[in-house]
Amino acid sequence: MISNERINEIKEKILNIKKNIDTLYDNHADDEEFCITIKNLCNNYKFASEKTIEEDINNQINMDRALNLGIIGVMKAGKSSLLNSLLFEGKNILPKSVTPMTAALTYMKYSEQNYIEIDFVTEEDIKTYKKVHDDFENILNKKVEEKIKEKERAINSNESLTGSFINMVLGERKNNNEVNNNIDKEKIKKECFEELKKENEHLASGYENYNEMNKIKDNKNQIFNKILSKGKERIDFNNIEEVSSELKKYVGANGEYTPFVKSMNLYLNAEKLKKINIIDTPGFNDPIESRNKKTAELLKKCEAVFILTRSTKAFTESDKEVINKIVKKEGLREIYIILSKIDSSLNSKSVIDKSKGDLKDALDNILNDFYPYLEDNIKDLGYGNIFGDLKKNLKSRVLYSSSISNIIMKNYDNLEKLDGTEQQVFHNLKEAYPLYFDSKESSMRYLKLLSNIENIENVLYSIAEKKDQIFEEKLEKIEDVYEENAEEIQYKLMEYAQRRISNIENMKIEKEVAKLEILENNYTNIAKNIQPYAKKAIDEWYRESVNSAQRHLDKFYTKVKSGAKDAQDIEEEKKSKREWIIFKKEWIEKHPTVHTNEVLAIIDDYINNFNRQLEVFLMEIYQALNKNLVSKITPIFTKYDETIEEIDISNIVESITNEYRSKIKQYKNDIPFTNKGILKDNEAESFVNEIQEYIKVLEREFYNLLVEDNISALNRDLLKISFDTEILDTRKSILKNRKFELENQKQSKYKWNKIKGEIDLIL
């Protein structure tokens, strides 16, 4: 584990850089322009204050969580089959993905209690599906129309060449209606659909998915209404067999809810998940942007990825596109390529002929052919150590798998349980490599070799065991990022110092004196206009920020309320009682229940999410504030001085407002509830009432924190600022300093060369 000493060492190193920058600032506090430049650079490159630096490092290094492993791959790469082999002893617990649209994002995480969380699409998502459907339908109809015209031309042309004698004898010719009757339009439509599907599988799947949605909406309106009203669903289960039947309803090929599932989170009491979370993703080409964003957001948290690529169609352009999406991030440390469905390649005629029926040679040949092919395809992916490690260690970083071989091995004594595909694969293997499958002992040995699950599990464990090393590397990356930022600050300050020297050598003193005179002569006129316009800009910004904050908070309230509501349920219990000797009375008792752990998890996530987004939201409103102030104030200056540029005003305004950016207050109260498991009847109702009251308290506290403690507090601070004197005096000080430097060139150049030496000492 990373020691606190190591973390503190990095912090101290970064904070020392900040102290060096602050010393530079303090040594030249009399130079307004230079100090503004330092202050603005520090805010833009994560060196705003010691407090913000410490908070950032603490947030990025959280040693309490498990590592995240992303499972990436194009459609039909075999991700579900691999996960079934790794986690469920080869049982088909996770259904095979139906289409790119219905392949739900699956997040698998350790939990003492087994349960599934299902997120359904929203009405907004359904509108997106409809647009995808309509766009595809237009393309399809045009293609069908073109094909029909081609058929008509071919038929007519055929008749003109081969049927002229018959037409002369019969004195007739088929009209257009007869030609159309000979054309199978449904068949053409199916052909066109398949052609377009090959060109754009995601668009075609969106078309099919929307059609499936409509069938459910029309035939089973109750299900459709349930989906839209609930938004999400939780299913508790005791054993793996239970979860399998439930999952088929939600992500199975013919599941009644399948077209409406956006994502699925699976919480399992599985030893393998104690050290590593698994994220199985549908990809990045989903037309539903919310699912795309969720995929990207989760992958940003991954320290390792398995990229599955089909052995018969290895490392295609689609695979490369996926890699381009995931590698451009700081957190990723481990990358492995898995050649899936290796049995398909082993059964190809060319592989069998080349190996002359030797299974081991065949396997080696497939891998040895793939290594240089992969190396050639990744040579241009310049993402540093990630692909550098892959290139250097191809044989250990490239794995293969055959999930079907694993299933056959697990069911060897009950081969009748295998489905048609599995039986065919085993038949092909025995036919192609008879010496390796001539007995149970031999078959089991080589099925295990082909499944390769044991090796993949070992890699999984090795990644989990590298947690400390990976977090150490992340910490070093944080150190690198801060050093790079400090280097950028140093470089820009050095550029600035050199520019000041060049200005001393090249600027005309007459022009700078004239600018100063214009400012001094118009000081009063400019001043009397700045404050009212600044106040107007602040008022406009404040009103819009409060409205925006309320809209922002409403989204949070809706989510947490619906989440808490979903954790409530009605449990039905069948009761019976004998009356007299013959008669039996039966009735159903309904018990309101609530899953307290789920409610508390929702609220905890709600608070954390609020704090994360709070900072982003406030940064946005600071930008809006500066923009509004600059747009209102700049015209007042240019009315009297056409030489002034907007950037001059923007730099001064930014330096005035920047000092408030580090004063962001976050929500820190602890949740005043403990997990009581599943409550029923009066206890459940009492807990729900307490939660509802607490959510109301949260609403008030969040509003007060965001609006009163942050936005209104900033507004009050801003209204105390004398923007007229602050901006004018700063501008005046800058111009006076320029005049002094031009009057004392030798002394000023010496000073700036000395400052360059001080800038060198930042790092």
Side-chain angles (χ1 to χ4, degrees), residues 434-596:
L435 296 176
Y436 293 86
F437 300 96
D438 59 355
S439 67
K440 178 181 176 180
E441 184 184 353
S442 182
S443 295
M444 292 291 278
R445 182 162 62 251
Y446 290 105
L447 286 168
K448 184 179 180 181
L449 173 72
L450 297 184
S451 75
N452 205 33
I453 294 303
E454 198 171 283
N455 281 340
I456 296 172
E457 280 182 337
N458 289 337
V459 168
L460 203 65
Y461 293 138
S462 73
I463 291 171
E465 291 304 318
K466 287 180 184 176
K467 177 180 173 179
D468 291 347
Q469 178 191 334
I470 289 171
F471 273 83
E472 175 74 32
E473 288 171 2
K474 283 190 79 170
L475 188 61
E476 286 174 5
K477 184 63 181 178
I478 292 169
E479 182 182 12
D480 290 345
V481 168
Y482 271 101
E483 282 189 348
E484 286 166 13
N485 285 346
E487 284 170 8
E488 194 66 22
I489 291 172
Q490 187 180 49
Y491 173 76
K492 288 183 180 295
L493 286 176
M494 198 66 81
E495 265 192 335
Y496 175 86
Q498 189 56 50
R499 191 162 59 249
R500 289 287 291 264
I501 292 170
S502 298
N503 288 342
I504 292 166
E505 292 172 342
N506 301 314
M507 285 173 70
K508 303 292 183 187
I509 190 169
E510 296 81 13
K511 284 188 177 181
E512 296 308 303
V513 169
K515 285 181 186 178
L516 183 58
E517 286 176 356
I518 290 170
L519 181 66
E520 287 176 334
N521 292 337
N522 293 285
Y523 189 100
T524 305
N525 288 328
I526 297 172
K528 70 181 181 183
N529 285 302
I530 284 182
Q531 202 62 16
Y533 274 90
K535 186 179 183 306
K536 185 180 178 183
I538 293 164
D539 288 343
E540 286 176 2
W541 161 82
Y542 178 67
R543 285 195 301 274
E544 179 52 37
S545 296
V546 170
N547 291 335
S548 181
Q550 188 60 64
R551 291 193 296 271
H552 198 68
L553 289 172
D554 285 343
K555 292 179 183 177
F556 280 101
Y557 302 154
T558 303
K559 181 180 177 183
V560 75
K561 284 176 182 175
S562 65
K565 186 179 177 183
D566 289 343
Q568 303 170 43
D569 202 355
I570 298 293
E571 186 180 282
E572 294 186 349
E573 185 180 0
K574 192 173 183 180
K575 292 279 188 177
S576 65
K577 180 182 178 184
R578 287 281 178 188
E579 292 188 353
W580 299 95
I581 299 171
I582 303 170
F583 300 107
K584 182 181 179 182
K585 184 180 178 182
E586 294 186 343
W587 70 96
I588 299 292
E589 285 187 0
K590 295 185 176 181
H591 303 278
T593 64
V594 64
H595 301 267
T596 62

Side-chain angles (χ1 to χ4, degrees), residues 17-183:
I17 295 172
K18 172 61 178 164
K19 284 172 185 170
N20 292 339
I21 296 172
D22 289 345
T23 299
L24 180 67
Y25 181 97
D26 293 338
N27 287 345
H28 303 283
D30 58 337
D31 191 313
E32 290 269 13
E33 192 174 0
F34 186 40
C35 288
I36 285 172
T37 301
I38 294 172
K39 191 188 291 187
N40 291 345
L41 283 172
C42 283
N43 277 293
N44 293 334
Y45 287 95
K46 298 175 74 171
F47 274 91
S49 69
E50 291 186 11
K51 180 188 171 188
T52 56
I53 290 168
E54 286 205 65
E55 285 176 353
D56 181 48
I57 295 171
N58 292 338
N59 288 337
Q60 289 196 60
I61 297 297
N62 178 6
M63 291 299 295
D64 294 331
R65 73 165 173 84
L67 288 180
N68 290 324
L69 169 72
I71 308 287
I72 316 293
V74 296
M75 276 299 296
K76 299 175 184 175
K79 293 181 292 174
S80 296
S81 298
L82 177 66
L83 288 171
N84 281 330
S85 295
L86 284 171
L87 297 175
F88 308 117
E89 301 295 325
K91 295 174 185 174
N92 289 321
I93 303 301
L94 298 174
K96 293 174 184 176
S97 300
V98 187
T99 71
M101 311 288 275
T102 56
L105 175 72
T106 306
Y107 187 49
M108 281 165 274
K109 190 175 182 180
Y110 177 80
S111 169
E112 289 186 9
Q113 187 175 351
N114 296 309
Y115 65 98
I116 312 165
E117 274 183 350
I118 308 287
D119 279 315
F120 295 114
V121 294
T122 63
E123 287 190 79
E124 202 60 39
D125 293 332
I126 293 171
K127 286 177 187 175
T128 305
Y129 273 123
K130 185 180 187 310
K131 187 177 184 310
V132 171
H133 171 275
D134 293 347
D135 289 346
F136 185 85
E137 193 165 56
N138 288 335
I139 298 168
L140 178 61
N141 288 339
K142 283 179 186 175
K143 195 171 183 72
V144 169
E145 196 178 320
E146 288 169 6
K147 276 271 174 95
I148 289 173
K149 285 179 180 176
E150 282 177 23
K151 292 272 186 186
E152 287 173 351
R153 284 195 293 270
I155 291 170
N156 289 330
S157 174
N158 234 10
E159 286 181 352
S160 65
L161 293 171
T162 63
S164 56
F165 177 73
I166 295 170
N167 290 332
M168 276 184 10
V169 172
L170 296 176
E172 63 181 2
R173 188 178 182 87
K174 289 185 179 178
N175 59 34
N176 284 336
N177 288 335
E178 289 174 300
V179 170
N180 283 332
N181 288 337
N182 288 334
I183 297 173

Side-chain angles (χ1 to χ4, degrees), residues 520-729:
E520 287 176 334
N521 292 337
N522 293 285
Y523 189 100
T524 305
N525 288 328
I526 297 172
K528 70 181 181 183
N529 285 302
I530 284 182
Q531 202 62 16
Y533 274 90
K535 186 179 183 306
K536 185 180 178 183
I538 293 164
D539 288 343
E540 286 176 2
W541 161 82
Y542 178 67
R543 285 195 301 274
E544 179 52 37
S545 296
V546 170
N547 291 335
S548 181
Q550 188 60 64
R551 291 193 296 271
H552 198 68
L553 289 172
D554 285 343
K555 292 179 183 177
F556 280 101
Y557 302 154
T558 303
K559 181 180 177 183
V560 75
K561 284 176 182 175
S562 65
K565 186 179 177 183
D566 289 343
Q568 303 170 43
D569 202 355
I570 298 293
E571 186 180 282
E572 294 186 349
E573 185 180 0
K574 192 173 183 180
K575 292 279 188 177
S576 65
K577 180 182 178 184
R578 287 281 178 188
E579 292 188 353
W580 299 95
I581 299 171
I582 303 170
F583 300 107
K584 182 181 179 182
K585 184 180 178 182
E586 294 186 343
W587 70 96
I588 299 292
E589 285 187 0
K590 295 185 176 181
H591 303 278
T593 64
V594 64
H595 301 267
T596 62
N597 62 329
E598 183 180 353
V599 175
L600 299 180
I602 289 165
I603 293 174
D604 187 53
D605 182 59
Y606 175 53
I607 292 170
N608 290 334
N609 197 28
F610 172 79
N611 281 331
R612 282 194 299 271
Q613 293 199 31
L614 174 71
E615 189 169 355
V616 174
F617 177 72
L618 290 174
M619 287 304 102
E620 288 174 0
I621 69 168
Y622 273 110
Q623 290 171 4
L625 167 67
N626 289 340
K627 187 177 179 183
N628 218 21
L629 281 166
V630 173
S631 68
K632 292 284 191 300
I633 292 169
T634 302
I636 301 167
F637 272 88
T638 53
K639 182 179 177 182
Y640 299 98
D641 182 4
E642 292 180 357
T643 62
I644 197 166
E645 295 181 15
E646 187 175 285
I647 189 66
D648 296 324
I649 304 300
S650 180
N651 286 337
I652 296 172
V653 167
E654 190 179 342
S655 71
I656 295 170
T657 60
N658 263 341
E659 65 180 281
Y660 300 101
R661 287 173 63 170
S662 59
K663 295 182 180 179
I664 292 174
K665 295 174 185 173
Q666 293 198 318
Y667 191 81
K668 292 182 180 177
N669 289 6
D670 293 328
I671 300 173
F673 300 98
T674 55
N675 179 10
K676 298 177 182 178
I678 299 175
L679 300 178
K680 290 184 181 180
D681 300 324
N682 292 337
E683 284 186 326
E685 289 181 0
S686 176
F687 183 80
V688 168
N689 290 335
E690 288 176 20
I691 290 295
Q692 286 172 344
E693 287 303 312
Y694 181 62
I695 291 172
K696 288 178 184 176
V697 171
L698 277 183
E699 287 184 23
R700 291 194 298 272
E701 290 184 348
F702 280 3
Y703 182 86
N704 290 337
L705 181 72
L706 179 54
V707 176
E708 294 300 323
D709 296 348
N710 282 292
I711 299 174
S712 294
L714 173 59
N715 183 57
R716 288 191 293 272
D717 286 339
L718 291 171
L719 292 174
K720 292 175 188 173
I721 298 171
S722 300
F723 279 93
D724 48 1
T725 53
E726 286 268 4
I727 294 172
L728 283 166
D729 289 351

